[in-house]
Amino acid sequence: MWNILKEFLEQYFLLGLFVGILYCFLTSTYDFWEKRGVPFRKPTILFGNFAPMLLFRKSLPEGIMEMYEWFKDDRYFGAFRVRSPVLILRDPDLVKNICVKNFACFSNRGIPVNSQDPLSAHLFNLEGKKWKSLRSKLTPAFSSGKLKRMFYLLVECGEEFQKLIDTSSETDRPFEIRELAAKFTIDVIGSCAFGIQINALTDEESEFHKAAKKFSMPSYKATLWRMLRTAMPKLYKFLGVQVIDPGVTKFFKDVVLQMINQREERGIKRHDFMDLLIELKNKGTLENESGNGQVCNDEDAEATEEIELDENSIAAQAFVFFAAGYETSSNTIAFCLHELALNAEIQEKTRRDIEDAIDSRNGKLTYDGVQDMKYLDMVIAETLRKYPPASLLSRRCEYQYQIPGSKVELPAGMRVIIPIYGLHHDPDYYPNPATFDPERFTEENKQTRHPYTYLPFGEGPRNCIGMRFALLQIKVGIISFLRKHRVEVCEKTIIPIKFSRRSLVTTSEKGFWLRIVQCP
């Protein structure tokens, strides 16, 4: 009897010891901000301050907004992701320091790249010289000249999209607008990035459509790891976690290899991004608008030696182009049309702006005509203000850094979070932030605001490289809707929108249901 009791006590003691050690490990960092005199909220064991988001009880925009309002009178405050201390900024001047002035210290996002996830080695995740080299190589691919040359591809997709909208408007039933927009963006990206006529507008069984659905609706496990990998990068690498579906990885690698072989064998030229990536692979640089090879300084040349663009690298860049352009653009189109359906006067003014620009060019949609649609610009800017695709930006401190105007020093490895959604909904910068008001983005009104309170595409050297293409794609999508139609709310319209708790991108939990009506 005594032996059984002794064995039980020993096991109980070992269990208690293990729990005690685990508790000490998980909480050993929780005095970090207190020691430095930085305001912070008491964290929860295992989750830190991010429990509502990690447990999918709140969407990322809601969680970030709630945290942003914790310390309204402070320029910054501390929080914890699991057990890792992070600094959250509220002051746009500090945001400017992190993104631009002190970029050398905050040049990396700190997102680990896994060998098991070959598509994760793309521009968004790469660091140091590899990032700098690839960024300098890819930047010319997004010049206004290159975009203008491939604009005809967007027009072709827009014309097919209009046919689908025409058909949809013939019935009186509501449509899920994001689904329609997603078909358009898949076709655009397939055409502009891969040179493939996907026909997602009519064929929902296309392989691209299937890959898009797998990517946009990842498992809860994959979503959780995407949120945790920056808080626990060593564990993420050790476990060899694969957050991108293996089927999606195989599909993209196969498609890219097939396209490279076809174009090199047949000498096909479409002036799309696949042409530019193949040119980079073969020549190492892109020709600029005058036809000369891209010139880089000695520092860039040194960085260029760090990375070669092979088939895997091309597949990774093509994948991030697809992932970033498909989901964020279709959501922005849907959010924009949702707001226009709620605001009939703004919708009519937008339609007139579109019609005037097209009519002045003999009824043709041209690149220059799109640039002249100034009110449409304002409408999209306000959509991105109210519904930024990313709720936050994250940067990793590369060496010890003293916060300007304070005695607080951040150690190397510390993460700094910029709460985009919070800044975009701060009434100090945007009065009545819940109101959809494109007039906020007149040239006069923009001059009255701190520029670093508006960050839908990030800022500084690490901003979104595809920003101009994304805006062009969004504009053509909205023009296709409003050129001959209007959108109206219906019995299935969700008001107010409830954000998805599972998505890392700002989107609706219940979809965007509207009625499409043909204009006389």
Side-chain angles (χ1 to χ4, degrees):
M1 185 70 165
W2 168 247
N3 287 336
I4 294 173
L5 181 62
K6 183 179 179 183
E7 186 177 335
F8 173 78
L9 289 172
E10 285 176 351
Q11 290 177 349
Y12 185 80
F13 173 76
L14 289 173
L15 178 62
L17 183 63
F18 173 76
V19 171
I21 292 171
L22 182 63
Y23 175 85
C24 290
F25 171 75
L26 291 172
T27 61
S28 61
T29 58
Y30 284 178
D31 61 350
F32 183 90
W33 294 120
E34 186 177 10
K35 284 181 178 178
R36 289 160 175 79
V38 175
F40 70 101
R41 277 284 181 96
K42 186 178 178 181
T44 304
I45 296 172
L46 288 178
F47 302 105
N49 299 110
F50 287 76
M53 290 159 277
L54 292 173
L55 295 173
F56 304 109
R57 291 175 183 164
K58 283 186 179 176
S59 67
L60 210 49
E62 291 170 316
I64 291 298
M65 191 69 220
E66 183 180 283
M67 294 174 78
Y68 183 82
E69 292 181 331
W70 283 350
F71 301 97
K72 291 186 177 182
D73 297 325
D74 292 286
R75 298 161 63 218
Y76 53 83
F77 60 91
F80 295 87
R81 292 178 74 175
V82 187
R83 65 185 296 273
S84 302
V86 296
L87 186 76
I88 300 179
L89 306 181
R90 294 188 91 260
D91 181 359
D93 283 324
L94 289 181
V95 173
K96 183 177 181 180
N97 278 320
I98 299 302
C99 291
V100 180
K101 286 186 177 179
N102 305 123
F103 176 74
C105 184
F106 296 95
S107 58
N108 297 321
R109 302 183 195 278
I111 300 175
V113 174
N114 239 340
S115 58
Q116 284 84 354
D117 246 352
L119 297 188
S120 66
H122 50 66
L123 187 66
F124 188 86
N125 291 346
L126 289 177
E127 299 184 347
K129 287 186 176 182
K130 286 186 177 181
W131 167 78
K132 185 177 180 181
S133 169
L134 192 56
R135 176 86 184 202
S136 68
K137 285 171 180 283
L138 290 177
T139 294
F142 295 90
S143 67
S144 57
K146 294 285 195 300
L147 293 181
K148 196 169 185 178
R149 193 180 292 180
M150 70 174 70
F151 184 70
Y152 79 96
L153 296 170
L154 278 89
V155 172
E156 288 176 0
C157 292
E159 288 170 351
E160 290 301 312
F161 191 31
Q162 267 192 275
K163 292 177 186 176
L164 178 63
I165 296 167
D166 283 338
T167 304
S168 303
S169 68
E170 291 172 1
T171 67
D172 195 41
R173 67 184 182 88
F175 282 89
E176 210 289 278
I177 296 298
R178 184 190 172 279
E179 276 295 310
L180 289 179
K183 290 177 181 180
F184 166 69
T185 56
I186 291 172
D187 263 14
V188 168
I189 292 166
S191 186
C192 293
F194 297 91
I196 301 173
Q197 297 299 322
I198 296 171
N199 297 320
L201 291 166
T202 53
D203 180 12
E204 294 197 19
E205 294 304 309
S206 72
E207 291 302 314
F208 261 90
H209 206 86
K210 290 177 182 177
K213 286 201 169 184
K214 282 183 182 178
F215 180 77
S216 61
M217 289 298 289
S219 66
Y220 281 102
K221 178 184 173 184
T223 303
L224 186 61
W225 268 114
R226 281 180 180 170
M227 296 175 76
L228 284 175
R229 61 184 169 180
T230 54
M232 299 187 293
K234 290 181 180 177
L235 184 62
Y236 169 77
K237 282 191 171 184
F238 176 75
L239 295 176
V241 177
Q242 191 169 0
V243 296
I244 300 171
D245 186 285
V248 174
T249 298
K250 183 179 184 307
F251 169 70
F252 273 95
K253 289 181 73 174
D254 289 348
V255 166
V256 166
L257 187 59
Q258 181 184 345
M259 293 310 303
I260 291 173
N261 290 337
Q262 279 184 6
R263 295 199 184 190
E264 289 186 336
E265 288 172 7
R266 301 176 189 176
I268 298 170
K269 285 280 184 183
R270 280 174 52 89
H271 303 297
D272 57 14
F273 285 110
M274 187 57 66
D275 274 357
L276 300 175
L277 288 171
I278 292 170
E279 185 182 335
L280 270 176
K281 169 181 167 286
N282 294 331
K283 296 182 180 178
T285 59
L286 287 179
E287 289 188 352
N288 61 25
E289 303 310 324
S290 62
N292 301 319
Q294 182 193 4
V295 178
C296 61
N297 58 34
D298 292 340
E299 189 178 352
D300 289 337
E302 182 184 345
T304 302
E305 297 171 6
E306 299 296 319
I307 190 169
E308 290 183 9
L309 215 61
D310 56 15
E311 282 86 355
N312 280 339
S313 295
I314 290 177
Q317 309 325 311
F319 168 75
V320 76
F321 185 91
F322 170 82
Y326 152 70
E327 199 168 13
T328 57
S329 293
S330 58
N331 278 315
T332 301
I333 292 169
F335 277 123
C336 183
L337 293 171
H338 173 85
E339 287 291 346
L340 293 179
L342 293 175
N343 298 275
E345 288 185 13
I346 295 174
Q347 181 175 175
E348 188 54 35
K349 192 171 180 180
T350 308
R351 286 189 70 246
R352 287 200 304 271
D353 186 46
I354 292 168
E355 287 174 355
D356 290 347
I358 293 174
D359 289 345
S360 67
R361 287 167 174 80
N362 299 317
K364 290 185 178 181
L365 180 62
T366 66
Y367 180 85
D368 292 332
V370 172
Q371 308 310 310
D372 283 348
M373 298 175 189
K374 301 304 181 186
Y375 192 73
L376 178 60
D377 278 343
M378 292 160 56
V379 167
I380 291 171
E382 174 66 348
T383 303
L384 291 167
R385 193 275 310 171
K386 193 172 179 183
Y387 307 103
S391 299
L392 60 87
L393 279 178
S394 182
R395 294 288 186 271
R396 186 182 65 207
C397 186
E398 296 303 310
Y399 49 83
Q400 194 174 65
Y401 178 80
Q402 184 170 332
I403 300 174
S406 79
K407 295 181 180 180
V408 178
E409 289 190 344
L410 305 180
M414 167 67 61
R415 303 191 67 80
V416 175
I417 290 177
I418 299 167
I420 297 175
Y421 192 87
L423 289 165
H424 283 200
H425 290 78
D426 190 326
D428 289 342
Y429 310 126
Y430 301 98
N432 303 312
T435 301
F436 186 80
D437 181 12
E439 297 298 323
R440 300 182 201 271
F441 290 91
T442 62
E443 288 304 318
E444 296 76 19
N445 286 337
K446 283 194 291 186
Q447 297 299 320
T448 65
R449 276 192 309 272
H450 197 297
Y452 286 79
T453 59
Y454 182 69
L455 304 162
F457 295 100
E459 267 296 348
R462 195 129 199 179
N463 69 346
C464 175
I465 193 173
M467 175 178 68
R468 283 193 286 189
F469 180 83
L471 287 172
L472 199 57
Q473 177 178 236
I474 290 164
K475 288 175 185 177
V476 172
I478 293 169
I479 290 165
S480 300
F481 261 102
L482 299 184
R483 193 172 177 181
K484 297 178 181 177
H485 304 83
R486 67 175 186 272
V487 286
E488 297 177 349
V489 296
C490 60
E491 63 278 3
K492 293 185 72 173
T493 306
I494 308 296
I495 305 171
I497 282 178
K498 184 175 176 60
F499 293 129
S500 170
R501 292 170 293 175
R502 184 170 162 182
S503 176
L504 296 186
V505 174
T506 307
T507 189
S508 168
E509 185 88 55
K510 304 285 186 178
F512 303 83
W513 292 91
L514 298 173
R515 184 172 284 108
I516 304 168
V517 180
Q518 194 154 13
C519 293

